[in-house]
Every structure is written in structure tokens, then in C-alpha cells.
Amino acid sequence: KALAEGKPVIVDFQADWCPTCKVQKPLVQALLREPRMKDVVLFVADYDKEKDLKRALRVSSQSTFVVFKGGKEVGRSTGQTKKEDLAETFAKAL
């Protein structure tokens, strides 16, 4: 629904057992608190359970972010753990 409405969307594929995902979590929370990111909708997808979504978005690794703007994919990243790198990826949604 958020995609159909053209909202900026980020889908975060994470797994409980993933050390990289654990490092990313506080960085993501900090980035989404920034005023410029106020309209971004974050969906967290369980990498182990969301098999159909993984297939549809061609995600092959946990710790992957898929970024949408205007209903279209505009970027993705896997395994980024530096706040500035994640900020650059997330900014593509704006």
C-alpha cells in the first residue's frame, strides 16, 4: 500500500542470528529519527520467514536494504555497517 501511494519505502531484510543486522539496527533507528527521513516508511522483513518477498525482490542475503521512491526500486545495499554509507543508501528514497 505504501508503495502504491508513492511513499518513500525501505525494506530491511534481517535475521535474528545475523551479527551484521545487529550492528545495523541502532544505525537504522538513528537515521530514521533524522528530520529529513520523517516520511520514510521502514518495513522489517524476517529473512528466514519472508520467502515470497525475498524471491519477489531478488534478495539473496540478510542485512539487505531495498530502497523505493515513487513505487520503484532506486537502490539497495547489503552488509553496510557505516552510518554514512547507510545514510547515502537511505537518501535515495527521498
Side-chain angles (χ1 to χ4, degrees):
K1 182 179 175 188
L3 283 177
E5 293 173 359
K7 292 182 179 178
V9 172
I10 298 171
V11 182
D12 176 5
F13 285 88
Q14 56 179 254
D16 294 339
W17 48 265
C18 170
T20 303
C21 300
K22 286 180 174 76
V23 171
Q24 289 174 329
K25 190 171 185 172
L27 301 173
V28 169
Q29 291 171 342
L31 286 168
L32 293 178
R33 282 194 298 269
E34 293 179 5
R36 69 188 187 117
M37 302 298 279
K38 69 178 176 18
D39 295 327
V40 173
V41 180
L42 176 74
F43 291 104
V44 177
D46 185 313
Y47 181 80
D48 296 316
K49 294 179 182 168
E50 298 287 347
K51 293 181 183 356
D52 291 340
L53 184 58
K54 256 183 3 188
R55 199 170 327 150
L57 295 178
R58 298 175 318 282
V59 171
S60 60
S61 214
Q62 73 282 357
S63 76
T64 296
F65 296 95
V66 184
V67 182
F68 295 88
K69 179 179 181 176
K72 295 181 175 27
E73 182 179 333
V74 293
R76 67 172 56 207
S77 74
T78 300
Q80 290 179 325
T81 56
K82 291 184 181 172
K83 187 176 179 183
E84 53 275 5
D85 293 340
L86 285 170
E88 187 177 315
T89 299
F90 285 16
K92 293 176 182 176
L94 305 176

